Amino acid sequence: MKIENTKAQMRKGVLEYCILTILQNGDAYTSEIISHLKDAKLLVVEGTVYPLLTRLKNAGLLSYRWEESTSGPPRKYYALTETGNFFLRELNTTWSELVKAVNLVTTNKPTTK
């Protein structure tokens, strides 16, 4: 088993949560979202983010609007819907519980008999 595969799966598992959290702070277009993720060292490519944004939109968690750009083609800005905000609040609780559980397991290693 290659460690890079496991690390990539761990990142993918939290990507949806991170995107929703980024959008909690306001509307953003895809390049801005990717920039935030890269700044956080979550190595992602557009080919990963676009399908995820579409899936979140289709699930009713995001909406989008087109806005003209002074430096190129129009940009699609994503925003959390009311359902998305509720979903994110639920994820925040789940994330906190998960972090606590993982920390318990990884810092309190059981002794073997």
Side-chain angles (χ1 to χ4, degrees):
M1 182 188 297
K2 294 186 179 184
I3 189 68
E4 290 306 316
N5 292 341
T6 301
K7 287 164 56 174
Q9 288 302 314
M10 291 173 79
R11 280 192 294 271
K12 286 180 185 177
V14 298
L15 198 53
E16 179 178 302
Y17 178 51
C18 291
I19 288 172
L20 293 173
T21 301
I22 289 166
L23 292 172
Q24 176 182 330
N25 298 321
D27 300 0
Y29 61 98
T30 307
S31 295
E32 290 176 318
I33 295 168
I34 291 171
S35 178
H36 283 289
L37 295 170
K38 285 183 178 178
D39 288 348
K41 307 295 186 229
L42 284 168
L43 306 173
V44 295
V45 294
E46 289 181 9
T48 301
V49 175
Y50 281 110
L52 181 52
L53 289 169
T54 299
R55 189 166 56 81
L56 293 170
K57 180 192 71 67
N58 290 343
L61 304 178
L62 300 180
S63 62
Y64 69 87
R65 64 180 163 73
W66 288 98
E67 190 171 300
E68 291 298 323
S69 171
T70 57
S71 61
R75 293 177 175 168
K76 186 187 279 189
Y77 280 81
Y78 289 90
L80 284 178
T81 61
E82 186 176 323
T83 302
N85 276 302
F86 177 77
F87 190 82
L88 179 57
R89 284 192 300 273
E90 292 292 318
L91 284 180
N92 283 330
T93 300
T94 301
W95 179 254
S96 294
E97 292 168 353
L98 181 61
V99 167
K100 183 179 177 182
V102 170
N103 283 336
L104 281 172
V105 169
T106 59
T107 59
N108 296 325
K109 297 180 175 94
T111 57
T112 57
K113 293 184 179 182

